[in-house]
Amino acid sequence: MALTIYRSLLWVLFCLSLKATASELRSDELVVPSNLAQGGLVIATVAPGYSVKYKGEPLKINEKGMFILGLGRDAGQLMRLVVVNDKGHQTDYTFPVAKRKYKIQSIEGVPQRTVTPNPEDVARIRQDSLLVKNARQGVSDRQDFLAGFKKPLEGPVTGVYGSQRVYNGTPKNPHYGVDYAAPKGTIVRAPAAGVVQLAHSDLFYSGGTVIMDHGFGLNSSFLHLSAVLVAEGQEVKQGDPIGKVGATGRATGPHLDWRMNWLNVRIDPQLVMESLPAE
């Protein structure tokens, strides 16, 4: 009985600390943001001692009951969570997800072999994909993301998340990052702390590439770098140099393509910065 009262008191104190404009309380078990959208990162909280499942899989929860998950570019209109209390009872919750409109973006002048790869390039692309997949494996206990995210560099945004890409007249997959135009050699800085999972100078599509783990399955990728300034396994603080802007891989000019994933779900870095702004 005392433990139950203690947990309830912790939950009430936490809910009172939330900004009413930023979150919405659902029953006595769950706090979820009220502005869910396709491509967004969900930062939510469950009552102490409870667990949460999303799409049948349990989510990592910290000591305060916080958990995160990513909504894909084409996520459905409802997000469903299953909360399991300390007695094993399950409760289903559903939350509306706002649908977004995405632009069609035509890009000319990229190397044609990156649009229609030859068989040798296809083999290399598969190897590269395996390297990237392995770099994003696992869900670490790191909680670097809680300190928030800031832009990796200052520059005009020339490409946005979710836009349909047409390269040299050939329709391709959507763009899953945010592009910042900047002169070649401009320093790219870590938007948040983390550990480097991949540091590669020349992947077929993305050229110089760095992937960082921020914890709980959340990671960032930095593409088209002219130089990689970090090594795999290196601990990086927010603001540390990690690379230099370039035009390597499938690119028409110098820029940074910053991408983010939660597990295998590609999410929008711009929405992440809104959800988790750096102080």
mmCIF file of all heavy atoms in Angstrom, residues 13 28 35-36 38 46-47 63 69 107 120 128 135 141 143 157 159 168 170 185 188 201 224 226 252-253 266:
data_model
loop_
_atom_site.group_PDB
_atom_site.id
_atom_site.type_symbol
_atom_site.label_atom_id
_atom_site.label_comp_id
_atom_site.label_asym_id
_atom_site.label_seq_id
_atom_site.Cartn_x
_atom_site.Cartn_y
_atom_site.Cartn_z
ATOM 1 N N LEU A 13 3.175 14.689 -8.762
ATOM 2 C CA LEU A 13 4.186 15.746 -8.779
ATOM 3 C C LEU A 13 4.735 15.962 -10.175
ATOM 4 O O LEU A 13 4.961 17.102 -10.601
ATOM 5 C CB LEU A 13 5.320 15.401 -7.812
ATOM 6 C CG LEU A 13 4.971 15.456 -6.324
ATOM 7 C CD1 LEU A 13 6.139 14.944 -5.491
ATOM 8 C CD2 LEU A 13 4.593 16.862 -5.908
ATOM 9 N N ASP A 28 -4.835 8.215 -15.560
ATOM 10 C CA ASP A 28 -3.855 8.349 -14.488
ATOM 11 C C ASP A 28 -2.542 7.668 -14.839
ATOM 12 O O ASP A 28 -1.686 7.501 -13.976
ATOM 13 C CB ASP A 28 -4.404 7.716 -13.197
ATOM 14 C CG ASP A 28 -5.629 8.425 -12.681
ATOM 15 O OD1 ASP A 28 -5.686 9.657 -12.836
ATOM 16 O OD2 ASP A 28 -6.531 7.754 -12.145
ATOM 17 N N ASN A 35 0.587 17.371 -29.869
ATOM 18 C CA ASN A 35 0.807 17.811 -31.250
ATOM 19 C C ASN A 35 1.536 16.739 -32.067
ATOM 20 O O ASN A 35 2.515 17.025 -32.755
ATOM 21 C CB ASN A 35 1.602 19.113 -31.272
ATOM 22 C CG ASN A 35 2.943 18.996 -30.553
ATOM 23 O OD1 ASN A 35 3.157 18.074 -29.769
ATOM 24 N ND2 ASN A 35 3.838 19.924 -30.834
ATOM 25 N N LEU A 36 1.089 15.492 -32.011
ATOM 26 C CA LEU A 36 1.736 14.420 -32.751
ATOM 27 C C LEU A 36 1.588 14.655 -34.249
ATOM 28 O O LEU A 36 0.521 15.053 -34.732
ATOM 29 C CB LEU A 36 1.109 13.069 -32.387
ATOM 30 C CG LEU A 36 1.133 12.671 -30.909
ATOM 31 C CD1 LEU A 36 0.535 11.282 -30.737
ATOM 32 C CD2 LEU A 36 2.535 12.739 -30.349
ATOM 33 N N GLN A 38 3.247 13.289 -38.371
ATOM 34 C CA GLN A 38 4.095 12.390 -39.146
ATOM 35 C C GLN A 38 5.526 12.921 -39.150
ATOM 36 O O GLN A 38 5.758 14.112 -39.334
ATOM 37 C CB GLN A 38 3.578 12.281 -40.576
ATOM 38 C CG GLN A 38 2.245 11.553 -40.694
ATOM 39 C CD GLN A 38 1.680 11.592 -42.103
ATOM 40 O OE1 GLN A 38 1.879 12.551 -42.834
ATOM 41 N NE2 GLN A 38 0.944 10.560 -42.487
ATOM 42 N N VAL A 46 5.111 7.557 -18.593
ATOM 43 C CA VAL A 46 4.154 6.616 -18.037
ATOM 44 C C VAL A 46 4.330 6.602 -16.522
ATOM 45 O O VAL A 46 5.392 6.949 -16.002
ATOM 46 C CB VAL A 46 4.359 5.202 -18.641
ATOM 47 C CG1 VAL A 46 5.669 4.586 -18.150
ATOM 48 C CG2 VAL A 46 3.171 4.301 -18.371
ATOM 49 N N ALA A 47 3.275 6.227 -15.810
ATOM 50 C CA ALA A 47 3.324 6.202 -14.359
ATOM 51 C C ALA A 47 4.427 5.277 -13.855
ATOM 52 O O ALA A 47 4.736 4.264 -14.486
ATOM 53 C CB ALA A 47 1.969 5.761 -13.808
ATOM 54 N N GLU A 63 14.241 6.054 -15.414
ATOM 55 C CA GLU A 63 13.827 5.980 -14.007
ATOM 56 C C GLU A 63 12.677 6.918 -13.678
ATOM 57 O O GLU A 63 12.003 6.755 -12.654
ATOM 58 C CB GLU A 63 15.026 6.286 -13.103
ATOM 59 C CG GLU A 63 15.580 7.697 -13.193
ATOM 60 C CD GLU A 63 16.470 7.925 -14.408
ATOM 61 O OE1 GLU A 63 16.697 6.959 -15.176
ATOM 62 O OE2 GLU A 63 16.940 9.073 -14.600
ATOM 63 N N LEU A 69 9.532 7.471 -28.945
ATOM 64 C CA LEU A 69 9.305 6.670 -30.151
ATOM 65 C C LEU A 69 9.195 7.612 -31.339
ATOM 66 O O LEU A 69 8.920 8.804 -31.184
ATOM 67 C CB LEU A 69 8.054 5.790 -30.026
ATOM 68 C CG LEU A 69 6.701 6.492 -29.881
ATOM 69 C CD1 LEU A 69 6.030 6.688 -31.250
ATOM 70 C CD2 LEU A 69 5.779 5.687 -28.983
ATOM 71 N N ILE A 107 15.793 17.631 -58.813
ATOM 72 C CA ILE A 107 17.213 17.962 -58.688
ATOM 73 C C ILE A 107 17.933 17.474 -59.936
ATOM 74 O O ILE A 107 17.879 16.290 -60.275
ATOM 75 C CB ILE A 107 17.821 17.308 -57.433
ATOM 76 C CG1 ILE A 107 17.087 17.817 -56.188
ATOM 77 C CG2 ILE A 107 19.306 17.597 -57.341
ATOM 78 C CD1 ILE A 107 17.542 17.176 -54.914
ATOM 79 N N GLU A 120 28.193 -3.351 -60.440
ATOM 80 C CA GLU A 120 29.259 -3.236 -59.442
ATOM 81 C C GLU A 120 28.878 -2.242 -58.344
ATOM 82 O O GLU A 120 29.148 -2.468 -57.160
ATOM 83 C CB GLU A 120 30.555 -2.793 -60.115
ATOM 84 C CG GLU A 120 31.183 -3.854 -61.024
ATOM 85 C CD GLU A 120 32.493 -3.383 -61.618
ATOM 86 O OE1 GLU A 120 32.896 -2.232 -61.339
ATOM 87 O OE2 GLU A 120 33.110 -4.162 -62.369
ATOM 88 N N ASP A 128 27.378 -0.970 -48.251
ATOM 89 C CA ASP A 128 27.212 0.277 -47.507
ATOM 90 C C ASP A 128 25.971 0.222 -46.614
ATOM 91 O O ASP A 128 25.997 0.660 -45.454
ATOM 92 C CB ASP A 128 27.077 1.464 -48.471
ATOM 93 C CG ASP A 128 28.374 1.803 -49.183
ATOM 94 O OD1 ASP A 128 29.415 1.205 -48.847
ATOM 95 O OD2 ASP A 128 28.337 2.660 -50.087
ATOM 96 N N ALA A 135 25.360 0.107 -37.777
ATOM 97 C CA ALA A 135 25.642 1.286 -36.951
ATOM 98 C C ALA A 135 24.412 1.728 -36.168
ATOM 99 O O ALA A 135 24.543 2.388 -35.127
ATOM 100 C CB ALA A 135 26.144 2.433 -37.815
ATOM 101 N N ASP A 141 21.511 2.681 -23.399
ATOM 102 C CA ASP A 141 20.971 3.342 -22.216
ATOM 103 C C ASP A 141 21.298 4.831 -22.176
ATOM 104 O O ASP A 141 20.879 5.528 -21.241
ATOM 105 C CB ASP A 141 21.524 2.678 -20.951
ATOM 106 C CG ASP A 141 21.023 1.259 -20.767
ATOM 107 O OD1 ASP A 141 19.889 0.979 -21.186
ATOM 108 O OD2 ASP A 141 21.779 0.425 -20.219
ATOM 109 N N GLN A 143 21.241 8.781 -22.556
ATOM 110 C CA GLN A 143 20.127 9.729 -22.556
ATOM 111 C C GLN A 143 20.618 11.122 -22.947
ATOM 112 O O GLN A 143 20.138 12.139 -22.450
ATOM 113 C CB GLN A 143 19.437 9.750 -21.186
ATOM 114 C CG GLN A 143 18.812 8.410 -20.809
ATOM 115 C CD GLN A 143 18.085 8.436 -19.493
ATOM 116 O OE1 GLN A 143 17.316 9.367 -19.203
ATOM 117 N NE2 GLN A 143 18.302 7.426 -18.668
ATOM 118 N N VAL A 157 18.258 26.473 -45.561
ATOM 119 C CA VAL A 157 17.703 25.128 -45.750
ATOM 120 C C VAL A 157 17.309 24.975 -47.213
ATOM 121 O O VAL A 157 16.483 25.722 -47.728
ATOM 122 C CB VAL A 157 16.490 24.897 -44.829
ATOM 123 C CG1 VAL A 157 15.819 23.569 -45.154
ATOM 124 C CG2 VAL A 157 16.914 24.934 -43.372
ATOM 125 N N GLY A 159 16.688 21.678 -48.575
ATOM 126 C CA GLY A 159 15.940 20.436 -48.738
ATOM 127 C C GLY A 159 15.299 20.065 -47.420
ATOM 128 O O GLY A 159 15.900 20.257 -46.357
ATOM 129 N N ASN A 168 17.581 14.000 -61.894
ATOM 130 C CA ASN A 168 17.813 13.981 -63.347
ATOM 131 C C ASN A 168 16.597 13.456 -64.099
ATOM 132 O O ASN A 168 16.712 12.717 -65.073
ATOM 133 C CB ASN A 168 19.041 13.137 -63.689
ATOM 134 C CG ASN A 168 20.320 13.708 -63.115
ATOM 135 O OD1 ASN A 168 20.330 14.809 -62.575
ATOM 136 N ND2 ASN A 168 21.410 12.965 -63.226
ATOM 137 N N THR A 170 14.365 11.322 -62.940
ATOM 138 C CA THR A 170 13.952 9.978 -62.509
ATOM 139 C C THR A 170 13.414 10.042 -61.080
ATOM 140 O O THR A 170 14.151 10.385 -60.156
ATOM 141 C CB THR A 170 15.136 8.999 -62.550
ATOM 142 O OG1 THR A 170 15.663 8.969 -63.875
ATOM 143 C CG2 THR A 170 14.696 7.597 -62.141
ATOM 144 N N GLY A 185 34.029 22.722 -46.674
ATOM 145 C CA GLY A 185 34.965 22.911 -45.577
ATOM 146 C C GLY A 185 34.357 23.504 -44.322
ATOM 147 O O GLY A 185 35.013 23.529 -43.269
ATOM 148 N N VAL A 188 30.989 21.084 -39.389
ATOM 149 C CA VAL A 188 29.720 20.516 -38.931
ATOM 150 C C VAL A 188 29.899 20.127 -37.466
ATOM 151 O O VAL A 188 30.850 19.426 -37.111
ATOM 152 C CB VAL A 188 29.335 19.273 -39.759
ATOM 153 C CG1 VAL A 188 28.041 18.659 -39.220
ATOM 154 C CG2 VAL A 188 29.193 19.635 -41.231
ATOM 155 N N SER A 201 34.586 7.616 -44.878
ATOM 156 C CA SER A 201 34.946 8.725 -45.765
ATOM 157 C C SER A 201 34.263 8.668 -47.127
ATOM 158 O O SER A 201 34.240 9.667 -47.844
ATOM 159 C CB SER A 201 36.461 8.764 -45.970
ATOM 160 O OG SER A 201 36.910 7.571 -46.599
ATOM 161 N N HIS A 224 27.500 13.505 -46.965
ATOM 162 C CA HIS A 224 28.186 14.281 -48.010
ATOM 163 C C HIS A 224 29.381 15.072 -47.482
ATOM 164 O O HIS A 224 29.771 16.090 -48.072
ATOM 165 C CB HIS A 224 27.203 15.217 -48.731
ATOM 166 C CG HIS A 224 25.956 14.541 -49.209
ATOM 167 N ND1 HIS A 224 25.986 13.461 -50.052
ATOM 168 C CD2 HIS A 224 24.633 14.783 -48.935
ATOM 169 C CE1 HIS A 224 24.734 13.059 -50.282
ATOM 170 N NE2 HIS A 224 23.918 13.837 -49.622
ATOM 171 N N SER A 226 33.091 16.360 -46.687
ATOM 172 C CA SER A 226 34.376 16.356 -47.392
ATOM 173 C C SER A 226 35.490 15.827 -46.492
ATOM 174 O O SER A 226 36.534 15.390 -46.976
ATOM 175 C CB SER A 226 34.735 17.764 -47.866
ATOM 176 O OG SER A 226 34.857 18.652 -46.768
ATOM 177 N N THR A 252 24.927 17.639 -55.686
ATOM 178 C CA THR A 252 25.219 18.555 -56.788
ATOM 179 C C THR A 252 26.103 19.718 -56.355
ATOM 180 O O THR A 252 26.629 20.441 -57.189
ATOM 181 C CB THR A 252 23.915 19.140 -57.365
ATOM 182 O OG1 THR A 252 23.196 19.807 -56.314
ATOM 183 C CG2 THR A 252 23.040 18.030 -57.932
ATOM 184 N N GLY A 253 26.241 19.910 -55.072
ATOM 185 C CA GLY A 253 27.063 20.999 -54.555
ATOM 186 C C GLY A 253 27.245 20.818 -53.064
ATOM 187 O O GLY A 253 26.613 19.961 -52.442
ATOM 188 N N ARG A 266 12.527 6.623 -39.841
ATOM 189 C CA ARG A 266 13.178 7.879 -40.215
ATOM 190 C C ARG A 266 12.300 9.049 -39.804
ATOM 191 O O ARG A 266 11.140 9.123 -40.203
ATOM 192 C CB ARG A 266 13.444 7.892 -41.720
ATOM 193 C CG ARG A 266 14.406 6.784 -42.140
ATOM 194 C CD ARG A 266 14.587 6.736 -43.634
ATOM 195 N NE ARG A 266 15.565 5.718 -44.015
ATOM 196 C CZ ARG A 266 15.970 5.498 -45.251
ATOM 197 N NH1 ARG A 266 15.487 6.237 -46.244
ATOM 198 N NH2 ARG A 266 16.855 4.559 -45.505
#
